[in-house]
Amino acid sequence: MEQIENDQIVTATEIDSTSKRTAKRAELIQSTEKGSTSAKNPVYVEWHGINYSISEEHKVSWWNKIRNSDSKLESGKQVRKIIENIHGCANPGEVLAIMGPSGCGKTTLLNLLGDRVGKKGVQGTITLNGHKITKKSKRFVAYCTQDDIFYPHLTVKETLGYTARLRLPRELSRHDKLKQVENTMALLNLTKCADTIIGDQAIRGISGGERKRTNIASELLTDPSVILLDEPTSGLDSSLALELTKILKEFAVKQKKTIIMVIHQPSSQVFESFDKLMLMADGNMVYFGERAGVVDYLDDLGYKCHSNFNPADYILELLNDNTIKQKLINAYAHNIRDDPTGKQVVEKHSRRTRTDNQLSDTILNAPVTSERRWEATFLQQVSILTERTFKQSRKIILSRVNIFQTVAVTVVCIIVWLKIPFAEPNVFDRVGNIFFCSVFWSFTAMIGSVASFPTDLVMLSKERQSRSYRLLSYYLSKQFAELPLVIFNPILYTIPVYWATNLLPDFGRFVAYLIVIILSTLTAQSFGYLAGATVLNVHKSISISMVFILASMLLGGYYIKYLPFGLYWLRYISFVKYSYSLLVQIQFDSPKAQFRCARPGELPAGQSSICETGDVPLTSISGSSIIENEGLNDLPWYINLIILLGICIVGRVLAYYSLRRNSRRSKE
């Protein structure tokens, strides 16, 4: 008896908690209705005659050509249709669900509606309030992808905060934007995990359901007029899926938002919340109309759904049967045989042209546009993105592993080169120390920066599609944010190694030495940026960078001092040559750089002392003699510095234009 009473108390508590959350949700949605853009200017989405095809490379091997010599097998491009004659509409205040088996073209259609495919292979008409989609109108269309794309090291609150600061109207203060973030998190029950990092497959963070809700929150936050969602309930249990659907439904009704979602297998309760329904199979239409009418439509075709059966499950069961599926496709095609593009069907179901619509013609046909291309100014974009990139990159570049590596290498180098004497037998050790310092940090910086743009590409594409910021803002913020992070480890290494290994004891020379190490590191980083932005493939970029850095090392002047006749010019294409020359000149081109001549037996057998090469034996060797002996006196120090600085700048400029070109290509 007591157990029953306890269960009743728990159930009552859960119901009370749910009702309170529902009331709070309604209050939050109602509070933002007055300032909502979509509530004042609703957007009608219509599309008809949509066809999309792609070209596929068809290759026939020489062996198959020989085996089938009598046939007409030829290599070439083949056109494959993805979707054909798709039409429909979505009205403000309604939720349209697109359903169908996997691979039927649902996501492709959603990408077309969001103008994320480009123009190639696309036919048909897609309009917002009767006008074609433009770059400015895309800002009012939110797109929630099936894959939740985030920076893994940022928390939920930070992620939404940066989105708000970038995309909410610039008239709002920072406090008001962050207040809206708090309301949105409360609306989607994200407050508990607000300070937890997003995480990814390698880093533990929030749960899959919380990631999904964060993805939707980042789009709802910006008050879009049209919301496109690809599988918004995937990874959620039935109760959370229903809760999320109710939230979207309330947004649609109270703020007149137009919601289109691709959904695979909704529960019966979720299915009942849809206003309109589109069924697809093999890239073709099977049904479009009111959700409540789909059961009767199938019944008329001879496929009766039992009253106690979930209609969504029954529909998928039919569409997964190849024979029934084809009959349903043919039946719908027969119904619209006099309307080949589906334009009449769209006019029938769209409320934009209906006489009972209470909105004026000005609103119904108003172009969806904005006075500004970007909500945040250029300087605001750079500032916000720099802050975000610094927080994200700090955990990667200054990870515990990288810090441990730096400390370990520093200790090893100090042990190996501790207190190098200013003597002729140790000159080669001193030069080796200098060359290693230059090359090691160049190598580390280049390999570390290669993956920057390829790993950011998906996130960059997502945010650029939503018109969050300029590409230049992103690129500059990347430079500013990663600059102090990239030079931290070289500085951490150089300071103790310089003094412990007994390099030239001159503070001015030490500062110059450190500056050159930093410049060399940044130059190598610029080549890593260039390789990554050009290839946009981590493995290929690393391979290219490895070949480049190894070639630069060989031509740097340490391993090979004299190249064969006709190949001497190759050394000037190595950036290592300029940094190495600068470091040697800093250390040896000084009156303080005097080295004791070798005593008998100190030099290896067969090697003669520099002190004995002249007419008069010397007691010490000047640093300039060593520079000349190393073959590094061909260019003065300031020329080496200017060239190294120029290579660093040119590499970064080329990386930007390469990224810009690939960014444009990905949109086509």
Side-chain angles (χ1 to χ4, degrees), residues 121-133:
V122 180
Q123 295 177 333
T125 303
I126 302 173
T127 61
L128 304 178
N129 286 354
H131 299 269
K132 290 186 177 181
I133 300 175

Side-chain angles (χ1 to χ4, degrees), residues 199-382:
D200 57 15
Q201 294 178 346
I203 306 166
R204 186 176 180 180
I206 58 177
S207 68
E210 289 167 337
R211 284 173 63 89
K212 180 65 67 178
R213 281 179 280 148
T214 303
N215 189 16
I216 296 172
S218 65
E219 298 301 335
L220 286 177
L221 180 65
T222 59
D223 185 32
S225 298
V226 180
I227 305 176
L228 308 176
L229 304 106
D230 191 4
E231 300 283 2
T233 59
S234 64
L236 303 181
D237 58 43
S238 57
S239 61
L240 283 176
L242 180 60
E243 181 79 7
L244 179 60
T245 308
K246 286 181 178 179
I247 292 172
L248 293 172
K249 178 74 173 179
E250 286 189 50
F251 263 104
V253 173
K254 294 184 178 179
Q255 296 190 4
K256 296 183 175 64
K257 294 189 185 296
T258 305
I259 297 179
I260 305 171
M261 68 168 68
V262 165
I263 194 161
H264 183 65
Q265 198 165 8
S267 66
S268 56
Q269 289 177 296
V270 171
F271 183 78
E272 290 293 323
S273 68
F274 302 147
D275 297 290
K276 283 190 171 59
L277 181 67
M278 173 185 286
L279 300 181
M280 294 179 65
D282 293 344
N284 294 277
M285 297 279 290
V286 171
Y287 175 81
F288 176 73
E290 300 298 324
R291 183 267 313 158
V294 67
V295 174
D296 292 337
Y297 174 79
L298 294 173
D299 192 8
D300 292 340
L301 295 175
Y303 304 102
K304 183 176 179 60
C305 178
H306 297 292
S307 57
N308 61 344
F309 204 81
N310 180 5
D313 293 337
Y314 181 67
I315 289 168
L316 287 176
E317 185 179 316
L318 295 177
L319 295 179
N320 280 311
D321 186 301
N322 290 331
T323 304
I324 298 175
K325 175 175 63 178
Q326 193 57 50
K327 288 181 179 179
L328 292 175
I329 293 173
N330 294 337
Y332 190 82
H334 180 75
N335 290 341
I336 62 164
R337 60 189 181 279
D338 298 327
D339 183 22
T341 64
K343 190 173 183 179
Q344 294 174 15
V345 176
V346 173
E347 291 176 352
K348 175 185 175 182
H349 291 282
S350 175
R351 293 212 313 263
R352 189 172 68 90
T353 55
R354 282 169 52 174
T355 55
D356 61 344
N357 202 317
Q358 298 178 354
L359 298 174
S360 65
D361 291 338
T362 305
I363 295 176
L364 291 172
N365 297 286
V368 183
T369 186
S370 172
E371 296 178 359
R372 292 188 290 263
R373 292 185 64 187
W374 325 94
E375 285 300 344
T377 65
F378 176 74
L379 291 179
Q380 286 174 338
Q381 290 174 17
V382 173

Side-chain angles (χ1 to χ4, degrees), residues 1-67:
M1 189 67 179
E2 291 180 0
Q3 180 65 36
I4 294 173
E5 290 178 356
N6 289 336
D7 290 343
Q8 289 176 343
I9 293 171
V10 171
T11 304
T13 304
E14 290 177 350
I15 293 173
D16 185 54
S17 176
T18 302
S19 61
K20 285 182 179 180
R21 191 165 64 248
T22 303
K24 180 65 175 178
R25 183 180 70 221
E27 181 184 341
L28 289 171
I29 295 175
Q30 192 73 33
S31 67
T32 57
E33 183 179 350
K34 293 182 180 180
S36 173
T37 302
S38 56
K40 298 175 184 176
N41 300 292
V43 174
Y44 295 80
V45 186
E46 300 166 357
W47 61 96
H48 55 83
I50 300 298
N51 295 276
Y52 178 60
S53 57
I54 60 174
S55 296
E56 292 182 330
E57 192 72 28
H58 177 66
K59 294 183 179 181
V60 179
S61 66
W62 62 271
W63 177 246
N64 284 332
K65 287 182 178 180
I66 294 173
R67 291 179 60 190

Side-chain angles (χ1 to χ4, degrees), residues 23-212:
K24 180 65 175 178
R25 183 180 70 221
E27 181 184 341
L28 289 171
I29 295 175
Q30 192 73 33
S31 67
T32 57
E33 183 179 350
K34 293 182 180 180
S36 173
T37 302
S38 56
K40 298 175 184 176
N41 300 292
V43 174
Y44 295 80
V45 186
E46 300 166 357
W47 61 96
H48 55 83
I50 300 298
N51 295 276
Y52 178 60
S53 57
I54 60 174
S55 296
E56 292 182 330
E57 192 72 28
H58 177 66
K59 294 183 179 181
V60 179
S61 66
W62 62 271
W63 177 246
N64 284 332
K65 287 182 178 180
I66 294 173
R67 291 179 60 190
N68 302 276
S69 57
D70 295 334
S71 66
K72 296 182 179 179
L73 291 175
E74 292 183 1
S75 298
K77 289 186 177 181
Q78 292 183 340
V79 176
R80 182 165 70 93
K81 289 186 177 180
I82 305 299
I83 58 176
E84 186 174 3
N85 193 23
I86 304 297
H87 50 266
C89 62
N91 299 308
E94 294 182 349
V95 177
L96 166 66
I98 304 174
M99 288 179 56
S102 299
C104 69
K106 304 186 298 293
T107 299
T108 299
L109 175 60
L110 205 67
N111 287 332
L112 288 168
L113 296 179
D115 194 27
R116 291 174 178 249
V117 175
K119 306 300 180 185
K120 190 175 181 181
V122 180
Q123 295 177 333
T125 303
I126 302 173
T127 61
L128 304 178
N129 286 354
H131 299 269
K132 290 186 177 181
I133 300 175
T134 63
K135 287 184 178 180
K136 290 186 177 181
S137 66
K138 285 175 68 175
R139 285 181 51 208
F140 298 91
V141 180
Y143 190 108
C144 293
T145 58
Q146 184 175 0
D147 298 323
D148 306 317
I149 305 165
F150 295 108
Y151 286 115
H153 291 288
L154 299 181
T155 66
V156 172
K157 189 174 183 179
E158 287 172 342
T159 298
L160 297 178
Y162 290 125
T163 300
R165 291 166 62 188
L166 284 168
R167 296 177 59 186
L168 287 180
R170 66 178 65 169
E171 290 81 12
L172 291 176
S173 65
R174 179 169 177 173
H175 177 268
D176 290 337
K177 291 178 180 179
L178 296 181
K179 180 64 177 176
Q180 199 154 327
V181 170
E182 297 285 350
N183 291 339
T184 305
M185 287 193 298
L187 185 67
L188 291 170
N189 198 22
L190 290 169
T191 307
K192 292 181 180 179
C193 62
D195 296 320
T196 306
I197 63 170
I198 301 286
D200 57 15
Q201 294 178 346
I203 306 166
R204 186 176 180 180
I206 58 177
S207 68
E210 289 167 337
R211 284 173 63 89
K212 180 65 67 178

